[in-house]
Amino acid sequence: MATALVVLAAGKGTRMKSDRPKVLHEVAGAPMLVHALRAGAAISPARTIVVTGHGAEAVATAASAWDPQVELAHQAEQLGTGHAVDQCRAALAEFDGDVIVLYGDTPFIRPETLAAMQAARATHDIVVLGFEAADPGRYGRLRMDGQSLEAIVEFKDASDREKAITLCNSGVIAADAATLFSLLEAVGNDNASGEYYLTDVVGLARARGLSATVVTCDEAETLGVDSPAALVRANAVYQDRARAELIAAGVTLLAPETVHLSFDTAIGPDSLLEPNLVFGPGVTIENGATIRAFSHLEGCHVARGAVIGPYARLRPGAELSEDTRIGNFVEIKNAQIHAGAKVNHLTYIGDAELGEGTNVGAGTVTCNYDGVFKHRTTIGRNVFVGSDTMLVAPVTLGDDSMTASGTVVTEDVPDGALALGRSRQVNKAGLARRMFEKLKAMKARRDKDSQ
Ligand code: UD1
């Protein structure tokens, strides 16, 4: 059965105290909307429609950046969740299949939960995702009759008896498209909020003799974000969950609470993460790598057996092959470091390629930027780059070449050659001793004068 995903993202989120549309606030480096779309994508929907409203243009841009196939429906006025879903009526008029409605500000729904809802559709016309709330607050209440869902009652419209119910509505709902849109036609706004409630479709369905049930999930999964404090909590929940998943997958985290992950961080088993690490978006680490303390990585790939840090910075486009070593205070950007190469101390490698087995000495800089253009540095295999070498790009060091310490390389170095580009040293016999004596005498005179 084909499924169309409808993601509601029109709300303003006044309590976020921000000009940014609510669904674009980020959890672990990605907008909440993208988290919802990712969860939805995992059940391979035939169609995905995002309902935009407040900040429509920015929301549409973020949705399309994530997946250009995403369709958009616009809700000019926010008249309620039922009205929001109804904006997809024309787009789904010919759609033969199920609709699953998600919220763009509920980033933690698991794909397994959506799959369980799809499965429950085999036996029920409407499936609602519910959860047992520790504090049911203002959530809609699920009125059950055994396994059967009778109605969803919004808090504002609930009787005291209904308010005592702790089984609550997450907002996620699944139904056949034709049934859903037919029920929505009958939804009115004669209620405490004056809104068209999506939740009313359940009572209407039952009145038509259709069946409805509830699939439940953990409350943490339905966590929505509607305030800055809730966003902080959501990030903390995300980090805890992502770290636990890594640990369960065989990654060693010496101090999990000090490791900050992004929504797409991928780390293979048998890798070791030391304390105090930041993984920005776009990092993949293969099995058996070691990331040592206080390192910052984003947009990079680290192959098996590589050792990164401590205090390393890997920026977008850093490609580290097997058994490479990147040491303290080293920054790598847009550079391919081939197998076994070492860059261990105080170095910047940007817009470059380092061949297998090459060793880069301390304090080396690829001078890649002339103030206007970026230029590449190409370093061959088994090269020895002496400490404090300045590589003025564009420049190439051939295989098995060397640079002497302190060299400023402005011309290509052929295979096997030594580049020596510094002024010749002169030793002046006895001059240091005489200088010391002179300076010490000067200091003694000054000390005496100041007494
Ligand atoms: C809704 C449910 C409630 C449930 C709760 C869970 C209804 C009537 N109530 O309540 O049962 O317990 O979610 O969090 O559905 N939106 C639009 N257009 C609108 C209104 C809302 O796109 O006109 C979007 C919002 O951006 C948000 C989502 O729908 O992503 C939910 O809206 P919100 O106002 O948070 O729902 P609640 O009234 O809290």
Side-chain angles (χ1 to χ4, degrees):
M1 161 87 63
T3 299
L5 208 66
V6 168
V7 183
L8 303 190
K12 185 165 184 205
T14 314
R15 286 201 285 147
M16 292 303 290
K17 305 266 177 0
S18 164
D19 289 338
R20 198 192 289 201
K22 178 158 79 163
V23 294
L24 298 189
H25 284 274
E26 291 189 351
V27 170
M32 287 191 279
L33 175 64
V34 167
H35 285 270
L37 290 170
R38 267 166 70 95
I43 60 163
S44 308
R47 309 263 301 268
T48 299
I49 306 179
V50 174
V51 180
T52 63
H54 282 281
E57 212 172 303
V59 172
T61 304
S64 307
W66 163 250
D67 178 1
Q69 303 290 323
V70 166
E71 301 167 55
L72 302 163
H74 188 63
Q75 187 191 26
E77 261 188 295
Q78 281 62 62
L79 302 179
T81 46
H83 181 258
V85 174
D86 209 39
Q87 306 312 301
C88 305
R89 177 182 292 275
L92 294 175
E94 305 294 317
F95 184 71
D96 181 17
D98 268 11
V99 170
I100 295 188
V101 178
L102 290 180
Y103 293 171
D105 55 4
T106 306
F108 296 124
I109 302 287
R110 290 186 311 135
E112 295 84 337
T113 301
L114 298 179
M117 292 183 70
Q118 283 180 311
R121 271 277 301 120
T123 50
H124 290 83
D125 296 303
I126 301 213
V127 179
V128 167
L129 181 64
F131 62 100
E132 276 296 337
D135 170 13
R138 303 184 68 79
Y139 285 117
R141 306 299 207 263
L142 301 183
R143 222 174 60 209
M144 304 294 292
D145 177 12
Q147 289 305 301
S148 194
L149 174 62
E150 282 185 340
I152 306 178
V153 189
E154 289 306 298
F155 176 80
K156 280 189 185 170
D157 304 290
S159 66
D160 284 347
R161 253 180 93 178
E162 287 166 336
K163 281 180 185 159
I165 297 172
T166 52
L167 184 62
C168 291
N169 176 29
S170 70
V172 185
I173 188 165
D176 164 71
T179 307
L180 181 65
F181 287 108
S182 154
L183 291 166
L184 279 172
E185 273 172 19
V187 169
N189 66 349
D190 183 16
N191 53 49
S193 308
E195 287 185 1
Y196 295 88
Y197 292 160
L198 173 61
T199 46
D200 278 358
V201 299
V202 173
L204 290 165
R206 297 305 308 272
R208 289 188 191 179
L210 299 173
S211 62
T213 194
V214 171
V215 162
T216 52
C217 68
D218 202 68
E219 184 169 3
E221 246 182 89
T222 69
L223 183 76
V225 172
D226 62 358
S227 68
L231 185 64
V232 171
R233 273 199 303 279
N235 269 292
V237 166
Y238 184 90
Q239 294 299 330
D240 281 346
R241 193 205 264 193
R243 292 169 190 138
E245 282 172 6
L246 284 184
I247 292 165
V251 179
T252 301
L253 279 72
L254 295 185
E257 65 286 359
T258 67
V259 173
H260 181 92
L261 303 162
S262 276
F263 69 104
D264 59 353
T265 306
I267 303 181
D270 292 322
S271 285
L272 168 68
L273 306 188
E274 288 189 358
N276 295 301
L277 304 175
V278 175
F279 292 90
V283 177
T284 50
I285 312 267
E286 289 182 21
N287 304 8
T290 299
I291 315 296
R292 304 196 60 201
F294 296 100
S295 294
H296 189 288
L297 296 82
E298 57 189 320
C300 62
H301 174 249
V302 176
R304 285 167 185 262
V307 180
I308 310 300
Y311 298 99
R313 179 167 186 212
L314 301 186
R315 291 175 52 204
E319 280 281 339
L320 307 192
S321 301
E322 292 183 14
D323 302 320
T324 46
R325 297 280 179 276
I326 304 298
N328 41 270
F329 306 107
V330 171
E331 174 179 342
I332 311 277
K333 184 216 70 168
N334 184 30
Q336 295 74 49
I337 314 294
H338 292 293
K342 294 181 185 153
V343 190
N344 270 331
H345 329 270
L346 300 159
T347 288
Y348 173 61
I349 301 291
D351 302 314
E353 177 159 8
L354 256 66
E356 280 177 31
T358 281
N359 185 92
V360 175
T364 295
V365 175
T366 52
C367 310
N368 60 327
Y369 186 46
D370 58 18
V372 179
F373 298 106
K374 299 273 172 65
H375 302 282
R376 271 190 86 73
T377 300
T378 306
I379 303 178
R381 295 163 181 241
N382 301 316
V383 174
F384 181 85
V385 178
S387 294
D388 193 30
T389 294
M390 297 293 121
L391 297 158
V392 183
V395 74
T396 297
L397 305 190
D399 292 345
D400 307 307
S401 65
M402 267 189 188
T403 69
S405 293
T407 294
V408 178
V409 183
T410 54
E411 287 167 25
D412 290 352
V413 180
D415 289 358
L418 168 71
L420 183 63
R422 61 188 186 211
S423 50
R424 184 169 287 279
Q425 181 174 327
V426 181
N427 291 338
K428 305 275 186 189
L431 185 58
R433 250 189 216 117
R434 289 204 298 281
M435 289 284 283
F436 278 134
E437 279 161 15
K438 205 167 144 185
L439 291 168
K440 281 176 189 165
M442 193 186 289
K443 184 166 187 293
R445 269 200 310 280
R446 283 192 189 166
D447 290 349
K448 201 171 161 211
D449 291 349
S450 65
Q451 273 170 11

